[in-house]
Every structure is written in structure tokens, then in C-alpha cells.
């Protein structure tokens, strides 16, 4: 029987299809999915020390790509963590290349993770690791050379779809959430492209950019020094920040970074609504300064510098900083410095720097200094949405402080240095003063019982010079306030170690006249910073009683003489308080004062 040309062509195509199907079937038969999963599990164990378990079925799919699909995949957690699994994945798909299968080799080209849950948790106090994300490979990992023979990783793509990330405190409370809707990692032209859409604590978050190829890290890590470049744009709540630069990686040395951060505008007010805001570094019970370690020793070890520039930075309370510039430098002698730090605040300028020596040592040493001038408190209050509560108040401030310690409490107790502030004429509403709380209101009422009769207080000046030595702040009439009605001075001490205070408040009517008994002059503040108490200055009682007794004996002549002397010698409580600004700022201040 003679076949037509069409029949011959059709028969040839059929034979090709059958041959292709046979080849596909042969290739698929060579796929040992159990062995593939075993190799992946061994690689995870060797690099993390954690166990990878697959509790669901493992199958092979042909479309849209040839892939081995595993379901219900779990990665074990740190032994101290609240959850038994750090990672749970509903489905993991390993996409395979066809050609290597005919040589009885398996080459993984891409991995897709669908419906994944990741739990990150801070380590409890005293744990060497910062959190459960710090993984340690076994000290003597078992050899998996035979099991891994015939396998290779040529990962061109990694895809994450619908990933829930929860961050927990050491106690197990969730304080941050991240929903990764989609995150794609693709290799092309010696680069790795990144593109992700997420929501962090319900704020839209995007990430897009590129880095040098990750393939060299996947293929056995690094055996020689190399430079790793990156250029990434991060968008949070529709505000974008660019991060770019280079990291020099040497397997025998600490990484060296040269990075830059730039943003036109950043508004941190939305971040203040985050559940994690204020959750870290909370004070110990009954104290202002926390005894919880700050965790200097758990900071990454690196060298180099990071330079940041932000056009407009809005703080959580609404205060706006303009032209923010900062350089963070990590040196080989375990020192970390922030120098310089500068920004505009209102119409003024702020200059500051700080340094930590022995970051990972037993007793980190911290020093900081700063100087601010040219702004008004009224400008700051207006930015906070409280323009009707305070107007005016040109201000200037400076400080330089040094200390040692691993906790906020230790740093306060060991503090040495000085701080100073000066405020000019301002008008403050009663609502602003009353916002200080019941204790502040009680003190203000004791100082000036007549303040309830007016809606505002006219401040003429306020100054404070606070020297501190080994955590002890001695105030020798170096806090003064002058209003349209009163002159007020403070003296006493504040001990930042036990957080105790003993302050005497001495107010005087602006007229200089007195009846000899001034109840406000008897005000004393004692107790602790967390729980202050208002009482009576017993020495003031004795002194005033002696003056009244003498007035009775002299028929009032001594009291008149006291009043006359007070009028003649009367001076502002703001006089003779301030020290040279450059000295207080540790030599940083160079701008003229008011």
C-alpha cells in the first residue's frame, strides 16, 4: 500500500511525538524526588544546623515547568523559641532543567514558595544569639558527598508568594508583621534583580533594585575576597529611599561596607502607630532608666562607613528636621562613630556627634556632644500641631557627656559632663502647663497660687546649667525662671544611679516685697525620678520663722529693711547661670549665642 505524502508527514510527526514522550518519560523516571529532598535537607542542615521536614506528599509536575513539588514543609526553630517551627510552607516547587536529566543529573533552576509563614523572635536575656534567625551550622557536619552527587544548583529565580512574617519579643508577643504579597529574585547579566510588593504593619512597602549575582554564594560560598555591589530603592508608605554602594567580603576578615542612603522626604509618624513602637528598651519597674542590656555586643561586626542624607525628616511627634546629613563609621578597633550629624530645625541649626568605643567589649564607652541654636520653641510646638499653646521662646542648647555601661541605667549612673539650655521670652498657655500631669500642676500651684486666675504665663527667660559627675547632678541655683510675676530658682541634686532627687524651689514676687512668710518658698521635691513627691523645705520654714520673729521684736523695722534690700539687690534668676557655650558643647559650638 502506497502512502500519500500527507500520511508520511503525519506518521513522521507521530513518531517524533512518541519519541519525545519516551524521552520525557525516561527523563522523569531518572528523577529521584526522595533523593532530591534528602539533598536539600542535608544542605539546609549543613548550613543552618536546623532540621527541614516534609510532612506532605512529594510529586512531579510537567506544566508550566518540570518541577518537583513538596507540600507542608517545615524548618525547626531555635530550642528556646516559643514556636516549634520557625518556618512553615504550604508548597515548595523546585523547577528542573530538562537537558541534564538525560545525563542522570538534576539541576535546580528556580524555587517557588507559596503560602509561607515565618516567625522571627528575639532571644531571651543572656542568650548569645540576637534572635532565632541567627543560625549555627554543626561543628562537624556529616558528609553528604555521595547523596549530593549528580545534583547542582543553578538558581536563576526564586519566587515568594503570600508570605506572612511575624516578629515576636523574647516573651513571645507579636510586635511587627510583614505580609509579602509577591517577591521575585531573578538572575540576569551577572546581576540579581529584586522586585517585591509587601505590607509592613499595614503600611505599603515596595522593594526594587539589583545586586551582584547571588550564584557564587549558592555554589559553595566564597573562597576568595570579592566585592558585592547593590542598588536598591525601598518605598514605605509611598516615600522612597535609595540604598546603594559596595560591600567587600573576605572569608577571613570582617566585611567592609561603603554604603549611601538618600531620601527626599521621610515621615516617621506612621511608624509611631506600629505595635513595636516603644516595645524595645522599656524601663525596669519603678525606674526611668532600663536595666535591660542595650545589646552593643550583638551588633554586627563590620568596618567602613554609611553616609545618609534626607531632605526632610518628620519625627513621630511631628517635629520636622531639614537637610539631615550623617555619617556612620565603624573602625577596626571596635569603635563606632556618628560624625558628623547635622540638620536644620525650624530656623535653627543643630550640630552633633557621638562615638562608642569597645562596642563588643565588656564595658562600652559612650560619648556624645551637641549644639543647637537659632530655633524657637514656638516653631517646634507649631510643627507638633500645638501652635496655640506656646509662642516665641528663642532657644539655645548644648551638651557633652561621657559614660560607660551596657544598659541605660549604667550609662546614666556613670555619666560625666554637662548640659545647658537657654530660652527667651515666650507666652505659654495654662493648658500646656497643665498637660504635665497632676504632680507638675501641684508644684506649679504651690509655687504660684495665683496662676489659676490667668490663662497664660508670660515667660521672660528660663535657663538651666546641669553639670553631672559620676551620675550626680548638682544644682546650685543653676536653674532659673523669670515670668511677669515671679523669679524662681532651684537648687539641690539629682542622683541618676539610684534615681533619687532632692530639689528646693525658691520663688520670689517680682516686686521684691514680702510679708515675711512665703509658702511657695517652702516647696521641696523628693523621691525618685519615676515617683517624685512634693513636701516642705524644713530649713526654709526655720529661716522664715526666724525672720518673722525678728520682725515682731523690732516692730517690723527688720522686715521693711529686708524688703528694701530685696528691691535694691534684685537681679534676674537667669543672670550668672550660663557657661560658655563652646565649653558646654565640648568644643563643638562655633555659632554665636543670642
Amino acid at each position: 500500500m502506497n502512502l500519500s505524502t500527507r500520511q508520511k508527514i503525519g506518521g513522521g510527526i507521530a513518531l517524533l511525538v512518541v519519541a519525545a514522550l519516551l524521552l520525557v518519560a525516561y527523563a522523569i523516571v531518572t528523577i529521584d524526588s526522595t533523593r532530591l529532598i534528602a539533598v536539600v535537607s542535608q544542605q539546609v542542615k549543613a548550613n543552618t544546623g536546623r532540621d527541614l521536614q516534609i510532612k506532605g506528599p512529594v510529586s512531579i509536575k510537567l506544566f508550566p515547568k518540570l518541577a518537583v513539588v513538596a507540600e507542608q514543609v517545615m524548618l525547626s526553630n531555635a530550642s528556646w523559641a516559643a514556636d516549634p517551627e520557625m518556618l512553615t510552607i504550604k508548597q515548595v516547587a523546585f523547577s528542573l532543567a530538562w537537558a541534564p536529566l538525560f545525563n542522570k543529573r538534576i539541576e535546580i533552576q528556580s524555587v517557588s514558595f507559596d503560602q509561607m509563614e515565618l516567625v522571627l523572635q528575639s532571644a531571651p536575656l543572656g542568650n548569645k544569639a540576637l534572635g532565632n534567625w541567627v543560625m549555627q551550622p554543626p561543628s562537624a557536619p556529616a558528609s553528604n558527598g555521595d547523596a549530593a552527587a549528580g545534583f547542582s544548583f543553578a538558581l536563576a529565580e526564586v519566587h515568594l508568594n503570600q508570605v506572612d512574617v511575624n516578629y515576636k519579643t523574647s516573651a513571645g508577643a507579636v510586635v511587627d508583621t510583614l505580609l509579602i504579597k509577591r517577591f521575585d529574585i531573578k538572575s540576569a547579566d551577572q546581576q540579581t534583580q529584586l522586585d517585591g510588593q509587601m505590607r509592613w504593619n499595614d503600611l505599603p512597602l515596595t522593594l526594587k533594585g539589583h545586586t551582584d549575582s547571588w550564584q557564587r554564594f549558592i555554589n559553595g560560598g566564597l573562597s576568595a575576597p570579592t566585592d558585592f555591589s547593590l542598588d536598591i530603592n525601598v518605598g514605605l508608605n509611598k516615600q522612597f529611599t535609595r540604598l546603594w554602594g559596595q560591600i567587600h567580603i573576605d572569608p577571613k576578615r570582617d566585611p567592609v561596607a561603603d554604603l549611601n542612603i538618600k531620601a527626599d522626604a521621610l515621615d516617621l509618624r506612621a511608624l509611631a502607630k506600629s505595635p513595636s513602637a516603644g516595645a524595645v528598651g522599656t524601663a525596669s519597674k519603678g525606674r526611668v532608666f532600663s536595666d535591660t542590656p542595650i545589646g552593643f555586643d550583638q551588633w554586627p561586626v563590620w568596618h567602613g562607613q554609611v553616609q545618609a542624607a534626607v531632605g526632610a525628616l518628620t519625627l513621630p511627634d511631628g517635629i520636622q528636621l531639614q537637610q539631615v546629613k550623617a555619617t556612620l563609621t565603624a573602625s577596626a578597633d571596635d569603635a563606632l562613630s556618628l560624625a558628623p550629624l547635622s540638620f536644620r530645625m525650624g530656623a535653627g541649626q543643630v550640630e552633633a556627634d557621638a562615638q562608642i568605643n569597645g562596642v563588643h567589649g565588656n564595658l562600652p564607652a559612650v560619648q556624645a556632644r551637641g549644639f543647637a541654636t537659632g530655633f524657637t520653641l514656638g516653631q517646634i510646638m507649631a510643627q507638633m500641631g500645638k501652635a496655640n499653646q506656646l509662642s516665641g521662646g528663642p532657644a539655645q542648647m548644648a551638651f557633652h557627656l561621657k559614660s560607660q555601661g551596657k544598659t541605660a541605667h549604667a550609662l546614666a549612673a556613670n555619666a560625666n559632663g554637662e548640659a545647658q539650655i537657654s530660652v527667651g521670652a515666650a507666652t505659654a498657655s495654662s493648658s500646656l502647663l497643665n498637660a504635665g500631669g497632676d504632680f507638675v500642676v501641684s508644684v506649679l500651684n504651690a509655687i504660684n497660687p495665683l496662676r489659676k486666675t490667668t490663662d497664660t504665663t508670660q515667660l521672660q527667660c528660663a535657663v538651666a546649667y546641669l553639670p553631672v559627675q559620676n551620675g550626680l547632678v548638682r544644682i546650685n541655683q543653676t536653674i532659673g525662671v523669670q515670668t511677669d510675676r515671679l523669679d524662681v530658682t532651684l537648687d539641690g541634686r539629682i542622683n541618676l544611679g539610684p534615681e533619687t532627687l532632692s530639689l528646693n524651689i525658691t520663688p520670689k514676687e517680682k516686686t521684691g516685697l514680702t510679708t515675711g512668710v512665703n509658702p511657695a518658698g517652702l516647696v521641696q521635691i523628693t523621691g525618685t525620678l519615676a515617683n517624685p513627691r512634693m513636701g516642705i523645705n524644713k530649713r526654709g520654714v526655720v529661716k522664715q520663722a526666724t525672720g518673722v520673729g525678728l520682725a515682731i521684736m523690732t516692730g517690723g523695722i527688720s522686715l521693711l529693711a529686708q524688703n528694701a534690700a530685696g528691691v535694691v539687690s534684685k537681679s534676674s534668676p537667669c543672670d550668672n547661670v550660663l557657661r560658655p557655650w563652646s565649653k558646654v558643647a565640648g568644643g563643638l559650638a562655633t555659632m554665636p549665642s543670642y
Side-chain angles (χ1 to χ4, degrees), residues 52-57 70-75 87-92 114:
L52 183 70
Q53 293 183 329
I54 299 176
K55 296 186 177 181
E71 299 184 13
Q72 299 181 36
V73 180
M74 300 179 181
L75 180 67
L87 183 67
T88 58
I89 313 171
K90 183 176 181 181
Q91 186 180 89
V92 181
D114 292 289

Side-chain angles (χ1 to χ4, degrees), residues 51-169:
D51 295 320
L52 183 70
Q53 293 183 329
I54 299 176
K55 296 186 177 181
V58 178
S59 59
I60 298 175
K61 292 186 178 181
L62 296 177
F63 301 100
K65 293 181 179 180
L66 176 64
V68 174
V69 179
E71 299 184 13
Q72 299 181 36
V73 180
M74 300 179 181
L75 180 67
S76 63
N77 213 337
S79 59
W80 49 261
D83 302 276
E85 284 83 30
M86 177 182 178
L87 183 67
T88 58
I89 313 171
K90 183 176 181 181
Q91 186 180 89
V92 181
F94 300 92
S95 177
L96 309 179
W98 280 99
L101 295 176
F102 299 107
N103 295 321
K104 295 185 179 182
R105 291 180 57 252
I106 294 179
E107 182 177 296
I108 300 176
Q109 289 186 318
S110 67
V111 182
S112 295
F113 302 90
D114 292 289
Q115 299 185 47
M116 182 169 77
E117 293 185 10
L118 174 63
V119 179
L120 302 176
Q121 184 175 357
S122 296
L125 186 64
N127 195 294
K128 292 183 179 180
L130 187 61
N132 67 337
W133 57 87
V134 179
M135 303 181 187
Q136 295 293 334
S139 55
S143 174
N144 60 352
D146 294 338
F151 286 86
S152 64
F153 294 86
L155 280 177
E157 298 181 7
V158 176
H159 303 281
L160 304 176
N161 300 297
Q162 297 301 312
V163 178
D164 286 315
V165 182
N166 293 312
Y167 176 72
K168 296 183 176 181
T169 64

Side-chain angles (χ1 to χ4, degrees), residues 510-564:
K510 290 291 290 290
T511 60
L513 299 179
T514 176
T515 60
V517 179
N518 181 9
L522 309 180
V523 176
Q524 185 179 54
I525 300 176
T526 58
T528 66
L529 295 176
N531 298 293
R533 299 189 303 270
M534 185 177 69
I536 297 176
N537 181 355
K538 296 180 179 179
R539 288 191 302 171
V541 171
V542 173
K543 182 177 179 180
Q544 290 196 25
T546 301
V548 171
L550 182 60
I552 293 174
M553 293 171 59
T554 61
I557 295 176
S558 63
L559 187 58
L560 292 174
Q562 178 184 338
N563 286 333

Side-chain angles (χ1 to χ4, degrees), residues 443 447 488-491 503-507 520-525:
V443 172
I447 295 173
V488 182
T489 58
L490 276 74
D491 65 86
L503 298 174
N504 299 314
I505 303 176
T506 306
L522 309 180
V523 176
Q524 185 179 54
I525 300 176

